[in-house]
């Protein structure tokens, strides 16, 4: 059996930098993470070994350490200020590409557009994006477009980890339902997400089975799994090597491997080693 690793997979620079900054801060003084640094239980366990405490971005003032860490997913300005005003020092690990999405949304609002965010309303990144703009609409499915207000100008950005094809399809639907409105999209899907999605398309051309490695609550990992399934592959999403089942690979010659942007390299290596073991027995 041949294992094919996607040309672009796994941890992105944004997550890597956030981990490093948290690591460095935790070595200097006790810190509380305001949410999951990334949606990956392996990373969470690693941070616990450093003594990093777990808190919540929304529970302003509840952290027991003097320093708190804002995660790579970012936060609204209002929330950031609330923590500062409560007397905490902040290590801000917001990914620069999430910052860009915040700036794009703020610019659209300044220019008089009704703000629209394509993404999951409950996701921490989206909550941060719309946190300073209570009038913003969040859409994820074509049915959500029905609830957009009849505004003369609609300014759209997206959660950084949404597949670009979903974003473009929703923008077309918005244009269709609002023919009289000026509709402007600023593409804020991040480059690493696009690269991993495109690399997966290549992988699906030769591999009937795809193993996607990453946290079950990681949006970009789930998007990879959904895309592989849409492209006709049998896709399995695992968080660790222990979840692999030998029957997934029976009679299969080519297996593709990819991983979400919050997956550690060592987890990818462990999964590949385990697949080799399972298929040699
Ligand atoms: S997935 Fe994209 S936006 Fe999120 S941390 Fe990585 S590079 Fe940044």
């Amino acid at each position: 059996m041949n294992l094919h690793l996607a040309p672009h997979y796994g941890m992105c620079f944004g997550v890597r930098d956030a981990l490093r900054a948290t690591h460095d801060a935790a070595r200097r003084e006790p810190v509380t993470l305001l949410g999951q640094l990334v949606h990956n239980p392996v990373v969470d366990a690693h941070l616990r070994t450093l003594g990093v405490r777990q808190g919540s971005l929304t529970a302003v003032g509840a952290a027991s350490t003097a320093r708190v860490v804002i995660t790579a997913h970012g936060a609204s300005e209002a929330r950031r200020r609330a923590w500062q005003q409560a007397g905490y020092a902040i290590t801000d690990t917001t990914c620069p590409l999430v910052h860009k999405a915040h700036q794009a949304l703020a610019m659209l609002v300044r220019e008089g557009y009704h703000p629209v965010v394509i993404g999951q309303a409950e996701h921490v990144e989206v909550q941060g994006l719309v946190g300073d703009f209570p009038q913003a609409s969040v859409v994820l499915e074509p049915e959500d477009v029905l609830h957009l207000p009849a505004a003369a100008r609609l300014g759209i950005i997206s959660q950084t980890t949404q597949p670009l094809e979903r974003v473009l399809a929703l923008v077309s639907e918005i244009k269709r339902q609002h023919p009289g409105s000026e509709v402007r999209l600023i593409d804020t899907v991040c480059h690493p997400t696009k690269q991993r999605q495109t690399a997966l398309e290549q992988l699906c051309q030769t591999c009937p089975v795809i193993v996607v490695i990453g946290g079950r609550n990681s949006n970009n990992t789930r998007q990879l799994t959904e895309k592989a399934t849409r492209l006709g592959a049998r896709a399995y999403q695992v968080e660790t090597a222990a979840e692999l089942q030998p029957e997934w690979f029976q009679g299969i010659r080519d297996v593709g491997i990819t991983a979400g942007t919050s997956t550690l390299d060592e987890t990818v290596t462990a999964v590949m080693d385990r697949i080799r073991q399972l298929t040699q027995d």
Side-chain angles (χ1 to χ4, degrees):
M1 194 206 59
N2 306 312
L3 273 184
H4 304 266
L5 186 57
H8 296 283
Y9 71 94
M11 196 166 278
C12 60
F13 78 93
V15 170
R16 223 176 275 283
D17 290 355
L19 263 177
R20 195 173 307 124
T22 306
H23 212 276
D24 292 351
R27 278 217 306 257
R28 286 192 299 269
E29 61 184 305
V31 298
T32 301
L33 249 184
L34 300 180
Q36 257 187 304
L37 182 61
V38 289
H39 292 141
N40 182 316
V42 180
V43 173
D44 284 348
H46 170 68
L47 292 172
R48 273 197 300 276
T49 65
L50 295 175
V52 173
R53 295 176 209 180
Q54 193 59 56
S56 161
L57 187 62
T58 52
V60 177
S64 58
T65 58
R67 180 169 292 276
V68 293
V69 179
I70 290 178
T71 69
H73 300 104
S76 66
E77 259 318 298
R79 196 77 81 190
R80 190 176 280 110
R81 217 172 310 119
W83 278 96
Q84 276 164 347
Q85 284 167 357
Y88 290 88
I90 294 178
T91 295
D92 189 350
T93 72
T94 304
C95 174
L97 301 183
V98 174
H99 271 308
K100 271 183 115 170
H102 278 265
Q103 286 160 3
L105 193 63
M107 191 190 79
L108 288 168
V109 172
R110 270 198 313 276
E111 293 186 3
Y113 291 88
H114 173 78
V116 180
V117 177
I118 293 174
Q120 295 162 287
E122 70 288 356
H123 191 282
V124 60
E125 181 190 323
V126 175
Q127 301 255 308
L129 286 167
V130 301
D132 294 320
F133 305 107
Q135 77 276 33
S137 306
V138 180
V139 298
L140 184 65
E141 304 294 344
E143 323 56 284
D144 300 334
V145 176
L146 291 170
H147 305 298
L148 287 183
R153 308 178 93 194
L154 293 163
I156 308 168
I157 66 155
S158 83
Q159 186 179 357
T160 53
T161 51
Q162 284 297 320
L164 187 60
E165 66 226 42
R166 177 198 285 265
V167 173
L168 297 178
L170 281 167
V171 171
S172 297
E173 183 59 19
I174 292 170
K175 284 183 175 162
R176 197 183 66 77
Q177 289 193 30
H178 294 263
S181 305
E182 182 200 336
V183 176
R184 177 169 174 203
L185 167 71
I186 299 181
D187 175 9
T188 55
V189 177
C190 77
H191 189 54
T193 292
K194 286 176 181 160
Q195 280 180 323
R196 280 150 189 71
Q197 291 265 339
T198 310
L200 177 64
E201 284 168 19
Q202 287 170 23
L203 216 54
C204 287
Q205 286 172 11
T206 47
C207 301
V209 169
I210 303 282
V211 176
V212 183
I213 311 160
R216 256 176 273 290
N217 57 353
S218 152
N219 181 53
N220 76 86
T221 306
R222 199 176 40 244
Q223 300 290 356
L224 290 170
T225 310
E226 286 176 11
K227 180 162 198 153
T229 306
R230 259 198 323 278
L231 292 173
R234 198 147 41 86
Y236 298 103
Q237 184 174 330
V238 296
E239 289 184 343
T240 66
E243 295 166 46
L244 295 162
Q245 301 297 323
E247 58 270 25
W248 296 350
F249 311 108
Q250 268 164 20
I252 300 294
R253 218 183 58 187
D254 294 289
V255 173
I257 307 283
T258 187
T261 54
S262 49
T263 305
L264 295 170
D265 287 346
E266 61 223 55
T267 310
V268 177
T269 306
V271 166
M272 291 182 73
D273 288 348
R274 182 71 185 137
I275 294 174
R276 285 192 194 98
Q277 267 177 11
L278 289 173
T279 51
Q280 271 162 19
D281 288 347

